[in-house]
Amino acid sequence: MKRFYKFIVLLFIFMGSIYFFSKSIPEATIGTTKATSLQDAAFPIMYIELGDYTLNTLHGYSGELNSGNIRESITPLGTDKTFAVKIDENNSKIKRLDFQLRDIANNKIIESNTLTAFEKKNNDKYAKIKITESLDTSTEYGMQITLTTNLSKKIQFYTRIKYYENDFYLTEKLDFINKFHQATFDKGQTMDITSYLEANTSDDSTYANVNINSNYNLITWGKLNPEIISDIVPTIKEINIETASVELNYYIKAQTASGQETYHVKEFYRVRYSGNRIYLLAFNRNMEAEFNPDYFSLKKSQFKIGISNESDFNVVTSSDNKSFAFVRNGTLWFYDIEKEKLTQVFSFSKKNPDYLRDNYDQHNIKILKINKDKSLSFVVYGYMNCGDYEGRVGIILYDYTPENNQIKERVYIPLETTYQQLKEDFGKFCYVNDKNIFYFSLNDIVYAYNISSKKYEILSDNCVRDNFVMLNDAGCFVWSDFSGDNHARSITILNLETSKKLKVSSSDSENIVVLGTIDSNVVYGYVKDTDIYESTSGEIIKPVYKLIISDCKGNILRKYQNKNIYITSATVDHDVIRLKRVKKVNGSFRKISDDSILNQKVTPKPIVNVTTRVTDKTLTEKYLSLPSGLVLDKKPSVDSTKYVTVTENTTLHIDNTESDSVRYYVYAYGGITGSYTSASKAIQTAQEQMGVVVDNKSHIVWERGGKFISKELSGISYPPSGASSIKSATHMLLQGAQCTIDINELNGNSIISMLNNYLDQPVDLTGCTLDEVLYFVSSGKPVIGMLNNSRAVVITAYDKTSVTWMDPSTYTKSTVSLLNAENQFKQAGYVFVSYVSN
């Protein structure tokens, strides 16, 4: 009987426990799956401490990455080569710290060590790291710091290390930035900042983007009177002895006509310390309002976006115009117009967010489509702030079903990269169809993944060279099919919904190239093999003699063809195709006036428009306007989804995501602002943005303000006479690259084609100025410059006032003023060639 009573008591306890936990845990069982809320962030945060400053907020990664690819921050070291790390443990318990210092050029470990003794201050842990190995001055190294928890979880943190034997004036630079920042909030009481500004006619109608050219009132927040609500930790992005680029990342709140609003602010400073004073070279402040559905304008049927630099908000509308989705602040929203219901579909941010972790903005969302049943397909890509994949970088394909208000994970692709690179390499070509085929591109490789069979195929392994384009409205991919000799004899038009392919071919003596898209149509052209030529610097020119506009079914809608007139490029600007043209005269091509083709198609107006309002306090604010004529009697209801835990494995491991093509990233204003296949275009952009160019092989290609005051190269001699000026200059550049070869062995139609046989990465710098290419000389690499179409010289030295080159056509060395040299190279078309690696 006692056993019976004990059994009854235990049964009641068991049943009571089930009842209690079912009420307190937010999950609902659905067949073999369950829906839950996203877990909170658990990873620690790390900071670097140098002197009196806490710097460089570092977020942890679950896996090991190439430290040379991560440019989130740089930590400068002085002669003692020592720095401290501060660890905010969050929900982790750190027991051990390991670090590895790597040579970025070859990814070799220079030094490593383990620390298990930590100092405890104010609930944070501290450790001091000292580098004992010798370091080259002004050279970047990769630092990986691994924290191990009491549960044996390893979390990786990354920064770059740069060593200087001389004073790099970090304290002076940071003190100035701190005082300038403070002065913007106290109307100049901390310091007079007016002498550092360069006010002109820039746009002063918005707080969204403020810079050194904005007026003083805008820079000091006008009538907004904001209050800082988060910590501000400076992040050093780039540093040299004279210059430094620093980002301040923080949140503010302000009372507006709508109520109390929250804003995310990023400030970018570029300063120079010279002659015992500071010069402000650049100041940019970007500001984004945090979306608050409570500030819906009932009178005008508008969702308030607020102060923002964005324009389209990734708005996607259903085919029946009864629902739409949009992305704001890294959060996906879905609005059902008929039900007047707004749903927060996906967000890392919580109701009371931890601005440092939950709102870490190194991810994005791309809406793929809204289906007829109102279900929504979308991808989240980048750094995962929390949840099962916390600390990982990857791509996740989700489906959202309004009927049960849940999202389900369909595909997870883990990657060894950073969000800054991923946002440039992913998302442009992305689609999922009703047959469970997920199309996406990574690093210029386009994949088709069958979710049901869990197999993928590569559609194109170089979609840059193939002129790969996507027709979003028509749901088509179009690409050129290159053969082994790099000739494209056909293009493929793939219907993404049906997976059917249509081929359009050229004759055996012609190439076919994809030029672009307009509306739902593809623009391509035909090129005669005999017209293809290679420029002196190595660019392959394919003049198009016949241009075609076709729909995705292969129907030709329009032709453009004129006798002896050829098209060298076609760009689409809204409803106009702009053509750059040349004329064939006596077998050679001469540039003639541009032309254009106007598209007559009337594009339907979107049902959701971005509109603006201007107020005296907040200036220009943006709104999403609901369909015209829609009248609401109350504000939309707001809900949020549950995450469905999937029992099957959704992970897709891709064997090789690296493309053969070289890509150049521009780092400026605290992140990557663009990626290019042309080094010269990347350098020109970085020059405008005061940034750095890094390729996808971790090489620093170019850095604004990174060259020495003077430089002279040695060990270069003239080859024997008899060869052309261009061939001789190529031979001399190879000498500078420590490549010994007989000049008679050089083969190729251009400088680049000759260099390709001996150097890993020659680079065409055509279009760059003389000042820009001197960075390569500063880095120990000679530069070939063209004085005219046939005369090449090798630039080997420069100083503050002059440049020196060797002329193989005259066997003379000339020292010319920078101004005169600049004019000579400009008249010749700024044709330069050098190399990144040998």
Side-chain angles (χ1 to χ4, degrees):
M1 186 63 69
K2 289 183 178 179
R3 290 180 180 179
F4 175 75
Y5 287 136
K6 185 179 291 186
F7 172 77
I8 295 297
V9 170
L10 291 175
L11 180 63
F12 273 107
I13 293 173
F14 176 72
M15 297 299 293
S17 298
I18 293 177
Y19 176 79
F20 172 77
F21 285 112
S22 67
K23 293 294 184 180
S24 59
I25 298 177
E27 64 177 36
T29 302
I30 309 164
T32 58
T33 65
K34 56 184 179 180
T36 66
S37 299
L38 194 65
Q39 302 143 324
D40 292 337
F43 276 22
I45 297 289
M46 182 181 291
Y47 307 88
I48 304 296
E49 293 213 332
L50 288 174
D52 295 330
Y53 273 97
T54 299
L55 306 163
N56 297 352
T57 304
L58 306 182
H59 291 260
Y61 291 84
S62 290
E64 291 194 26
L65 306 180
N66 183 341
S67 58
N69 289 337
I70 304 178
R71 300 188 66 83
E72 295 175 354
S73 66
I74 189 164
T75 301
L77 300 184
T79 52
D80 63 352
K81 293 186 286 188
T82 301
F83 66 96
V85 295
K86 171 185 172 183
I87 304 166
D88 176 358
E89 291 184 289
N90 195 15
N91 294 325
S92 303
K93 298 297 180 183
I94 304 303
K95 297 299 182 182
R96 168 174 159 170
L97 181 152
D98 297 88
F99 74 83
Q100 292 180 342
L101 186 69
R102 291 179 181 268
D103 184 337
I104 292 177
N106 54 33
N107 202 33
K108 289 184 178 179
I109 298 175
I110 298 173
E111 183 173 347
S112 61
N113 205 345
T114 299
L115 303 175
T116 55
F118 297 92
E119 183 180 355
K120 196 79 178 282
K121 294 181 188 176
N122 299 325
N123 297 322
D124 296 321
K125 284 185 175 179
Y126 291 77
K128 184 172 288 187
I129 295 176
K130 181 176 178 60
I131 306 300
T132 59
E133 295 294 327
S134 61
L135 302 177
D136 293 333
T137 186
S138 192
T139 300
E140 291 187 8
Y141 296 88
M143 172 64 80
Q144 174 181 310
I145 302 173
T146 303
L147 299 183
T148 303
T149 72
N150 60 332
L151 301 176
S152 299
K153 170 72 174 178
K154 294 183 182 296
I155 305 169
Q156 325 292 336
F157 298 82
Y158 298 90
T159 185
R160 291 168 290 143
I161 297 294
K162 206 170 189 181
Y163 167 68
Y164 287 103
E165 294 178 348
N166 301 317
D167 191 356
F168 46 88
Y169 307 106
L170 179 64
T171 300
E172 289 84 351
K173 294 167 184 174
L174 292 176
D175 284 349
F176 171 83
I177 290 170
N178 183 51
K179 289 179 181 178
F180 187 99
H181 164 79
Q182 184 60 40
T184 65
F185 282 87
D186 61 22
K187 303 293 183 183
Q189 294 180 30
T190 304
M191 67 181 290
D192 182 9
I193 64 174
T194 55
S195 61
Y196 298 100
L197 305 180
E198 301 173 11
N200 59 21
T201 56
S202 65
D203 183 10
D204 288 328
S205 65
T206 177
Y207 287 112
N209 193 329
V210 177
N211 56 53
I212 196 172
N213 302 123
S214 302
N215 68 49
Y216 176 80
N217 188 55
L218 202 66
I219 289 176
T220 55
W221 301 99
K223 298 179 180 180
L224 200 58
N225 297 320
E227 176 187 347
I228 298 172
I229 58 174
S230 67
D231 293 334
I232 303 179
V233 177
T235 297
I236 305 174
K237 295 295 184 177
E238 308 293 341
I239 192 164
N240 294 297
I241 289 180
E242 284 197 346
T243 62
S245 297
V246 178
E247 181 185 78
L248 304 183
N249 191 334
Y250 58 97
Y251 285 81
I252 61 173
K253 65 180 181 181
Q255 195 69 29
T256 72
S258 301
Q260 189 176 88
E261 295 194 61
T262 303
Y263 302 91
H264 186 194
V265 182
K266 288 184 178 181
E267 290 179 1
F268 175 82
Y269 295 84
R270 183 174 172 84
V271 298
R272 184 175 78 237
Y273 184 85
S274 178
N276 295 323
R277 64 161 294 185
I278 288 283
Y279 299 86
L280 181 62
L281 304 179
F283 167 72
N284 291 80
R285 185 173 72 210
N286 289 318
M287 180 175 175
E288 294 289 333
E290 294 289 293
F291 178 71
N292 188 337
D294 292 338
Y295 296 150
F296 181 85
S297 174
L298 193 60
K299 184 177 180 181
K300 294 191 176 183
S301 298
Q302 295 177 337
F303 286 109
K304 182 176 182 179
I305 296 297
I307 297 170
S308 176
N309 290 282
E310 302 295 330
S311 56
D312 61 2
F313 306 101
N314 196 6
V315 178
V316 174
T317 308
S318 62
S319 57
D320 60 5
N321 292 335
K322 293 181 179 180
S323 61
F324 67 90
F326 64 96
V327 177
R328 182 65 179 145
N329 311 121
T331 296
L332 174 61
W333 298 89
F334 177 83
Y335 185 65
D336 188 318
I337 295 176
E338 289 183 317
K339 295 182 179 179
E340 300 179 6
K341 179 181 178 182
L342 179 69
T343 302
Q344 185 188 74
V345 177
F346 183 94
S347 181
F348 286 128
S349 183
K350 303 297 187 294
K351 187 174 182 180
N352 296 308
D354 176 344
Y355 292 117
L356 201 57
R357 295 178 176 87
D358 297 345
N359 285 23
Y360 186 48
D361 63 348
Q362 295 301 292
H363 74 279
N364 204 350
I365 298 172
K366 182 175 179 61
I367 305 169
L368 302 186
K369 63 176 181 175
I370 299 178
N371 300 298
K372 292 181 180 179
D373 62 356
K374 290 187 178 181
S375 63
L376 174 67
S377 297
F378 65 97
V379 290
V380 178
Y381 60 99
Y383 181 92
M384 304 299 163
N385 296 0
C386 55
D388 293 336
Y389 304 124
E390 181 177 2
R392 298 186 183 276
V393 175
I395 301 165
I396 306 178
L397 171 66
Y398 286 109
D399 273 353
Y400 164 62
T401 308
E403 184 179 353
N404 54 19
N405 196 33
Q406 294 172 358
I407 64 172
K408 181 179 180 180
E409 178 185 313
R410 299 184 66 188
V411 180
Y412 165 59
I413 307 173
L415 299 169
E416 295 180 357
T417 186
T418 66
Y419 167 68
Q420 286 297 317
Q421 288 193 358
L422 181 60
K423 71 183 178 69
E424 301 297 327
D425 298 335
F426 169 77
K428 189 175 181 181
F429 310 126
C430 195
Y431 191 86
V432 63
N433 67 17
D434 293 338
K435 295 185 176 182
N436 268 356
I437 308 296
F438 180 37
Y439 298 97
F440 61 94
S441 66
L442 273 173
N443 301 319
D444 304 329
I445 303 173
V446 181
Y447 302 86
Y449 176 57
N450 188 313
I451 301 173
S452 301
S453 66
K454 299 187 182 301
K455 294 181 180 180
Y456 71 84
E457 65 172 314
I458 295 176
L459 299 180
S460 172
D461 60 4
N462 195 329
C463 60
V464 170
R465 187 181 63 209
D466 294 357
N467 298 308
F468 199 106
V469 295
M470 178 174 181
L471 285 74
N472 290 292
D473 293 339
C476 290
F477 281 169
V478 184
W479 69 92
S480 302
D481 296 315
F482 274 84
S483 58
D485 58 0
N486 279 338
H487 285 289
R489 303 301 185 191
S490 66
I491 63 172
T492 300
I493 302 175
L494 171 68
N495 186 308
L496 297 173
E497 198 55 52
T498 64
S499 298
K500 291 183 178 179
K501 297 178 181 178
L502 171 68
K503 282 206 171 186
V504 179
S505 301
S506 66
S507 67
D508 291 339
S509 61
E510 291 183 349
N511 272 242
I512 184 169
V513 295
V514 178
L515 298 172
T517 66
I518 187 165
D519 288 329
S520 300
N521 305 312
V522 59
V523 183
Y524 62 91
Y526 292 95
V527 182
K528 296 177 182 177
D529 289 354
T530 54
D531 288 333
I532 299 174
Y533 66 96
E534 189 174 3
S535 69
T536 302
S537 60
E539 182 182 3
I540 304 299
I541 311 297
K542 294 185 176 182
V544 171
Y545 77 89
K546 180 168 64 176
L547 180 144
I548 302 293
I549 300 177
S550 161
D551 64 18
C552 282
K553 297 180 180 179
N555 300 314
I556 296 175
L557 307 178
R558 186 166 182 178
K559 293 182 181 179
Y560 181 95
Q561 183 177 6
N562 294 305
K563 188 176 182 180
N564 289 331
I565 302 297
Y566 297 80
I567 299 163
T568 56
S569 73
T571 56
V572 178
D573 183 11
H574 298 293
D575 294 331
V576 179
I577 304 175
R578 305 192 185 280
L579 309 175
K580 289 191 178 296
R581 306 183 305 165
V582 293
K583 186 174 183 178
K584 196 171 186 179
V585 180
N586 297 326
S588 61
F589 294 96
R590 297 179 183 177
K591 186 178 180 180
I592 61 173
S593 62
D594 297 344
D595 199 1
S596 60
I597 302 174
L598 179 64
N599 182 42
Q600 301 294 336
K601 182 179 177 180
V602 178
T603 304
K605 292 183 178 180
I607 68 165
V608 180
N609 292 299
V610 178
T611 60
T612 60
R613 299 188 208 171
V614 179
T615 68
D616 187 45
K617 189 173 186 178
T618 54
L619 303 182
T620 303
E621 295 183 302
K622 296 180 179 178
Y623 291 78
L624 287 183
S625 295
L626 299 187
S628 177
L630 184 66
V631 179
L632 303 182
D633 56 2
K634 62 178 181 178
K635 291 183 178 181
S637 61
V638 181
D639 199 359
S640 59
T641 59
K642 296 291 185 183
Y643 297 76
V644 173
T645 303
V646 183
T647 55
E648 64 175 324
N649 183 13
T650 64
T651 304
L652 164 61
H653 291 285
I654 300 175
D655 297 331
N656 181 21
T657 61
E658 294 186 6
S659 170
D660 293 334
S661 62
V662 180
R663 185 165 288 276
Y664 300 92
Y665 301 98
V666 176
Y667 285 82
Y669 309 131
I672 294 181
T673 59
S675 64
Y676 303 84
T677 55
S678 164
S680 63
K681 290 181 180 178
I683 290 170
Q684 292 170 66
T685 302
Q687 171 73 13
E688 294 173 3
Q689 299 178 352
M690 299 187 180
V692 178
V693 177
V694 180
D695 67 16
N696 55 350
K697 299 178 180 180
S698 303
H699 299 125
I700 299 176
V701 178
W702 188 89
E703 183 179 359
R704 169 76 179 261
K707 73 176 190 290
F708 297 114
I709 296 174
S710 63
K711 185 74 174 184
E712 183 175 1
L713 306 182
S714 59
I716 300 174
S717 60
Y718 295 105
S721 60
S724 69
S725 169
I726 292 174
K727 197 170 188 178
S728 296
T730 305
H731 184 266
M732 294 166 69
L733 185 141
L734 285 170
Q735 286 184 51
Q738 308 300 311
C739 182
T740 304
I741 183 175
D742 190 298
I743 191 171
N744 295 318
E745 297 178 21
L746 288 177
N747 293 309
N749 297 322
S750 67
I751 298 172
I752 290 290
S753 60
M754 286 187 281
L755 293 177
N756 270 329
N757 296 319
Y758 307 99
L759 299 181
D760 289 338
Q761 198 173 329
V763 61
D764 180 6
L765 302 173
T766 298
C768 293
T769 65
L770 174 61
D771 180 68
E772 290 164 353
V773 302
L774 289 180
Y775 175 87
F776 289 83
V777 180
S778 176
S779 302
K781 306 176 182 74
V783 174
I784 296 175
M786 300 298 298
L787 296 180
N788 56 43
N789 290 335
S790 59
R791 185 181 175 190
V793 296
V794 180
I795 303 171
T796 59
Y798 69 90
D799 57 26
K800 287 183 178 181
T801 60
S802 64
V803 62
T804 300
W805 63 65
M806 299 173 68
D807 189 339
S809 61
T810 62
Y811 281 73
T812 58
K813 180 180 286 189
S814 301
T815 298
V816 184
S817 71
L818 286 173
L819 180 60
N820 288 338
E822 182 77 30
N823 289 334
Q824 289 187 60
F825 289 119
K826 183 178 181 180
Q827 290 175 7
Y830 281 140
V831 179
F832 298 105
V833 174
S834 188
Y835 60 93
V836 174
S837 64
N838 57 351

